Amino acid sequence: SGHPLFERKSIFHALMQKWVARKYAKSQIKPYEELRLIVVHLGSGITVGAHLNGKVIDVNQGHDGEGPIAPLRSGSLPAGDLVRLCFSGNYSENEVLSMLTGKGGLFAYFGTMSTIEIEQLAQTDKKAQMVLSAMAYQVSKCIGSMYAVLEGNVDAILISGGVANSKNFIDMILNRVRNMAPIHIFPGSDEIEALGMNGLMALKGEIEINEYK
């Protein structure tokens, strides 16, 4: 992490990222365990993972807001300014944490996490245009960083989540990353289908059942 008192944790949209990756692999008639993928989940938080041969080897810690600006998360903030705000005496610990996740990102700027509403506002409002562009820009940068993680050898970039329903937002990302690898969009997120698929695979012995204590 850069300091021994801080340890990076792997907390991300694991269920949805794995589901999309396996769904794509099935469509290509290839084992997920043999693919090199960049998977993006655009939900209330945003995570971008590098999938190498069935394992996520790098990903931003989206639970605490690390990474791109998101509908409810602020993304990675300037560390020095964040520390000074924490010790300003103006905010409690819970208030600061809610700035990072829950009341950050698009919600902090506009009082809504709806990209549809903000896109409508952006037709006449320059601030809304700027914030949406910044979010797409940061997602693109994160995709680029995972492209480097996979040494520029990427089979596909997969984009899922509710925000993936926005063609305008997706186009802003595609304009920056379309030359890296083939891109496939899986709009929305169906956790029930994802859970069902994993349960079926476990019953069929296609994946190992892990026990966490």
Side-chain angles (χ1 to χ4, degrees), residues 129-171:
Q129 294 172 11
M130 180 184 68
V131 174
L132 277 179
S133 295
M135 188 165 90
Y137 176 82
Q138 291 188 8
V139 172
S140 302
K141 281 179 65 176
C142 204
I143 292 172
S145 70
M146 296 307 165
Y147 184 78
V149 168
L150 294 173
E151 301 176 337
N153 181 6
V154 180
D155 293 307
I157 299 170
L158 314 179
I159 304 177
S160 69
V163 183
N165 285 297
S166 168
K167 184 181 183 303
N168 290 335
F169 186 78
I170 292 298
D171 283 345

Side-chain angles (χ1 to χ4, degrees), residues 64-125:
D64 282 339
E66 179 190 59
I69 301 168
L72 288 180
R73 290 169 171 77
S74 295
S76 299
L77 297 173
D81 289 342
L82 179 59
V83 170
R84 285 184 281 273
L85 182 140
C86 290
F87 286 89
S88 68
N90 296 324
Y91 304 96
S92 68
E93 177 182 351
N94 286 335
E95 286 173 328
V96 173
L97 288 173
S98 72
M99 291 179 191
L100 302 180
T101 174
K103 294 183 179 179
L106 298 183
F107 183 85
Y109 283 102
F110 304 106
T112 177
M113 62 173 284
S114 171
T115 53
I116 295 175
E117 292 179 23
I118 298 169
E119 281 185 338
Q120 291 173 345
L121 180 63
Q123 294 177 12
T124 55
D125 186 282

Side-chain angles (χ1 to χ4, degrees), residues 14-34:
L15 175 67
M16 296 311 303
Q17 285 208 20
K18 289 276 189 173
W19 173 66
V20 167
R22 291 187 183 279
K23 196 170 185 177
Y24 168 77
K26 187 175 181 180
S27 73
Q28 302 299 304
I29 318 176
K30 294 181 179 179
Y32 164 56
E33 292 75 13
E34 295 179 6

